[in-house]
Amino acid sequence: CAASAAEVVCSPNGKTVVTVELKEGRPCWSIAYGGRPLLRDGLLGVETGLEKDGAPYAAVGATTASGDGTWKPVWGFLSDVRDHYRELTWQLQGAAPAKRRLDVVVRAYDEGVAVRYAFPQQPGLKEVTVKKLLTEFAFDGDRTVYSSRDYQYGNATIATLKKSEGAVTVDVGGGRFVSLTDADRADFPVVSWCSRKEKPGTLVAALHPPASGTLPFKTSWQAMVIGESAGQLLENRFLVENLNPPCAVADTSWIRPGKALCQVYNCRMVTREIMQLMDFASEHHFDYVEIDHSWSGAETKWTPEEIATFEKKKGPFWNAHPEWRDNVKGDLMKSAKGYVPFRPHSFESGNYVDLDIPAITAYGKSLRHPVGLCLYVRGALLKEFGGEHAIEDVFACYEKWGVAGVKPGFVPPSSQQNERAIAYLVKKAAEHKLIAVIHDAFLPYGLCRTYPNLVNVEGVAGEEAEPSIAPPIKSLHDVVLPFTRGIMGSFDYTPQIYKASKTHCHQVAMLGVYLGRASVRAGMKQWSPGGEGGAEVEFAEKLPGLTDEIKVTAELGEYVTVARRKGADWYVASLSGPKACSFPCPLRFLPPGKS
């Protein structure tokens, strides 16, 4: 990079060049990729209220750093990940008299760019509140965008983009794509991506809600993954994990990167039948069985008012099953007994529970191919999210029972307090040797690098949402997901194989295309006790939870093919969109001359 009055940082391969400079006292950045402008003159900075809005800054220094190392994931697409970057810390100072300090930290990778803001320790300031992020991703025009929120799959542009929680992917022309997301969010709110109406072609990140911290304090990263093709965009998505702290779990040998069968038809949860499901899982080399809601009773602790209303309106069924009163107390450390009304308006019938959890976990461990048991946990019952039971106590109980993992559901995300509590939950799960699969609205940001026991996250319109997805969009949604929500991290779609809405092959291919622990919703007769599994089970049986290499061929919105290598073996899965089509799968990645 040529020296200039502006500060410049380049990626290790020199393709990505980031320039930062002051224009009329306001920090701005531009990015070029492969010699062509990608972003031009976008604002940088934050709004804190410490300085008058728009007050000029002065540059008081700059430092550079670099990193080049390799880390080993426990599960996922790649067995070795290179973390190679160059970093610029641009030191700014606000106007007199306070002269507040703000550092702009920019990292340039071969795979993309990231920026964050840091508030160093300084006289007269102990705490700061970030009210607004000012970072502008200023493209050269009104580009086509893809976002899983509202299924904006090439039918929207930057100008018409609705506020999008999660990643937004932008077609920047020439077959290239970029995806915007956040990373290292353990002490910062989630962001939503919006268009800046007064500046066409520009995307900004909005906070949910403001964030505060004692100095030194830093924001999350705002990251841009770059791909010279849609396929390379997915191949480069590990940039998100690279922006997070390294693994904090000393011994990861207990984290099995395997597949799960999810017991979801919860009208009956009986010890013997769960053991039979474990037999099927073991026979077909699944590593986990998940028990979903109702095993410990109603999902929430009923209020006196809810109990009184239920007493008045309940049907005759419940007169014969008075045990319901003991099953609505919200106890996460005791299995329910008898019938459970799922919700306070379940007046006519309920789910039947008779489980011996320690016996089930011991049985799973005794099988020739061991199967671990994972339990659903409603977030609202945990003290850290407003409930009565401390995470530490609940997880210590599960460890004593021999449970392999937890599936927290309806965990409130987004705010700084909630994101901090979720990171604490994952940390405590690791301390008690529990894998975690977080369901519902939480979105990943690379925390799985620091705590690899976080093996999957929902945060997506998956199988449960399919009835509400318009038929022409259903398969298109599946094909675009890897390039939108999938850039952020693993997602638990939980396909129900053999469901009539899609082809069997399409449903099984999800397990190979999507990042994260493969989870299948059980309940269909073929993949249940006494079922034969069907021909499609072979791919699921053999697919490893950790592969060495990934190659992606795709036409965004039409098809995606993911080839994953483990040793000398390749596992190939393809998904197509709503139109039947044929498409190539180039085998250039295979060793030349080898059959």
Side-chain angles (χ1 to χ4, degrees):
C1 300
S4 67
E7 299 291 345
V8 178
V9 61
C10 302
S11 61
N13 65 6
K15 274 193 173 182
T16 306
V17 180
V18 185
T19 304
V20 295
E21 57 187 323
L22 291 172
K23 294 196 172 184
E24 298 180 352
R26 304 194 76 182
C28 299
W29 70 335
S30 298
I31 299 176
Y33 181 81
R36 296 171 55 188
L38 190 57
L39 303 181
R40 283 183 174 176
D41 296 332
L43 283 178
L44 293 171
V46 295
E47 184 179 300
T48 64
L50 294 173
E51 307 285 0
K52 182 180 178 182
D53 290 347
Y57 280 98
V60 295
T63 61
T64 59
S66 61
D68 188 6
T70 301
W71 58 280
K72 292 184 175 296
V74 178
W75 52 266
F77 287 154
L78 301 171
S79 58
D80 293 282
V81 174
R82 189 178 184 187
D83 187 2
H84 193 197
Y85 63 87
R86 290 176 180 162
E87 181 177 283
L88 169 71
T89 300
W90 190 32
Q91 299 159 352
L92 304 178
Q93 187 175 77
K99 295 186 177 181
R100 300 299 185 197
R101 277 283 313 281
L102 173 69
D103 290 347
V104 179
V105 185
V106 179
R107 278 192 186 176
Y109 293 79
D110 293 347
E111 299 80 23
V113 176
V115 61
R116 79 183 330 168
Y117 304 100
F119 299 86
Q121 290 181 330
Q122 49 196 286
L125 187 63
K126 293 183 178 180
E127 185 177 3
V128 67
T129 297
V130 177
K131 297 180 178 180
K132 189 176 181 181
L133 295 170
L134 302 179
T135 317
E136 293 179 341
F137 290 80
F139 296 93
D140 61 358
D142 190 21
R143 294 290 185 173
T144 300
V145 295
Y146 297 78
S147 170
S148 56
R149 179 68 180 264
D150 297 313
Y151 312 113
Q152 295 177 96
Y153 292 149
N155 54 2
T157 65
I158 293 174
T160 59
L161 174 72
K162 298 177 182 178
K163 182 181 286 189
S164 175
E165 292 156 6
V168 171
T169 294
V170 183
D171 183 343
V172 295
R176 295 173 174 175
F177 294 87
V178 303
S179 191
L180 309 184
T181 186
D182 58 355
D184 193 14
R185 198 200 315 136
D187 191 22
F188 205 72
V190 72
V191 300
S192 289
W193 297 98
C194 316
S195 61
R196 175 147 289 171
K197 303 301 182 185
E198 63 274 19
K199 192 170 182 179
T202 301
L203 290 169
V204 294
L207 291 184
H208 298 269
S212 300
T214 56
L215 271 55
F217 180 68
K218 57 191 177 185
T219 69
S220 63
W221 292 100
Q222 297 163 69
M224 180 171 69
V225 183
I226 301 173
E228 296 196 14
S229 64
Q232 192 187 66
L233 184 73
L234 182 54
E235 293 173 4
N236 287 347
R237 65 141 311 278
F238 61 85
L239 169 72
V240 176
E241 282 76 42
N242 277 346
L243 290 165
N244 284 260
C247 183
V249 182
D251 175 21
T252 61
S253 61
W254 55 273
I255 303 172
R256 298 171 63 192
K259 302 171 286 285
L261 281 176
C262 309
Q263 187 271 345
V264 293
Y265 287 161
N266 287 16
C267 52
R268 279 180 61 84
M269 284 175 278
V270 179
T271 296
R272 180 179 58 83
E273 294 174 11
I274 297 297
M275 289 179 175
Q276 288 176 333
L277 185 58
M278 283 183 157
D279 289 337
F280 179 88
S282 178
E283 179 183 352
H284 294 288
H285 293 90
F286 279 74
D287 301 88
Y288 300 99
V289 163
E290 286 183 355
I291 297 180
D292 216 299
H293 59 76
S294 296
W295 73 268
S296 63
E299 272 203 288
T300 58
K301 181 180 179 180
W302 289 13
T303 65
E305 293 76 17
E306 288 172 329
I307 293 173
T309 300
F310 190 81
E311 287 275 17
K312 291 179 184 178
K313 296 186 177 182
K314 68 181 189 299
F317 174 86
W318 292 110
N319 293 328
H321 299 289
E323 70 271 16
W324 69 265
R325 293 179 179 85
D326 289 327
N327 291 333
V328 297
K329 296 180 178 179
D331 191 346
L332 289 172
M333 292 178 280
K334 184 178 73 173
S335 178
K337 286 292 182 184
Y339 282 92
V340 177
F342 179 39
R343 291 197 173 102
H345 53 71
S346 302
F347 301 127
E348 302 304 324
S349 63
N351 303 325
Y352 182 73
V353 182
D354 184 11
L355 295 173
D356 183 338
I357 300 295
I360 294 171
T361 61
Y363 181 77
K365 292 175 183 178
S366 74
L367 296 171
R368 183 174 181 180
H369 181 85
V371 177
L373 182 70
C374 301
L375 298 176
Y376 178 84
V377 178
R378 177 71 181 232
L381 298 175
L382 296 169
K383 185 176 182 179
E384 288 75 6
F385 300 104
E388 295 183 354
H389 303 287
I391 287 172
E392 169 65 35
D393 297 338
V394 174
F395 290 178
C397 173
Y398 294 173
E399 183 180 25
K400 184 178 179 181
W401 286 352
V403 171
V406 290
K407 180 183 175 181
F410 293 100
V411 176
S414 300
S415 71
Q416 182 184 24
Q417 179 182 352
N418 287 339
E419 294 291 332
R420 187 184 294 151
I422 291 169
Y424 173 80
L425 179 150
V426 176
K427 176 178 181 289
K428 282 296 173 183
E431 290 176 4
H432 292 284
K433 290 185 167 54
L434 299 168
I435 66 166
V437 178
I438 302 178
H439 260 234
D440 301 297
F442 171 70
L443 293 167
Y445 55 85
L447 181 63
C448 59
R449 179 185 181 185
T450 313
Y451 293 101
N453 60 307
L454 179 58
V455 298
N456 223 334
V457 172
E458 187 180 15
V460 69
E463 193 274 339
E464 285 182 296
E466 283 186 0
S468 64
I469 300 176
I473 296 294
K474 286 184 191 291
S475 56
L476 175 65
H477 175 61
D478 299 344
V479 170
V480 178
L481 272 176
F483 309 98
T484 53
R485 164 63 180 82
I487 298 298
M488 305 185 78
S490 64
F491 56 95
D492 196 359
Y493 195 101
T494 51
Q496 186 169 314
I497 315 299
Y498 300 123
K499 196 170 182 180
S501 62
K502 297 172 182 175
T503 67
H504 302 172
C505 185
H506 180 98
Q507 291 162 329
V508 177
M510 291 179 180
L511 308 182
V513 168
Y514 295 162
L515 174 67
R517 188 198 65 180
S519 297
V520 178
R521 291 167 69 88
M524 60 287 187
K525 64 180 182 179
Q526 294 95 333
W527 285 33
S528 296
E532 75 287 354
E536 289 78 11
V537 79
E538 181 186 0
F539 184 78
E541 284 178 337
K542 294 182 177 181
L543 180 69
L546 174 66
T547 49
D548 300 322
E549 184 181 359
I550 175 178
K551 296 292 182 182
V552 182
T553 306
E555 188 68 42
L556 196 55
E558 295 185 20
Y559 68 87
V560 53
T561 299
V562 174
R564 303 167 65 175
R565 180 181 62 81
K566 180 71 171 180
D569 298 326
W570 287 86
Y571 302 81
V572 184
S574 286
L575 297 174
S576 65
K579 296 180 180 178
C581 59
S582 298
F583 43 85
C585 178
L587 301 181
R588 291 186 295 271
F589 52 81
L590 295 178
K594 184 170 181 179
S595 173

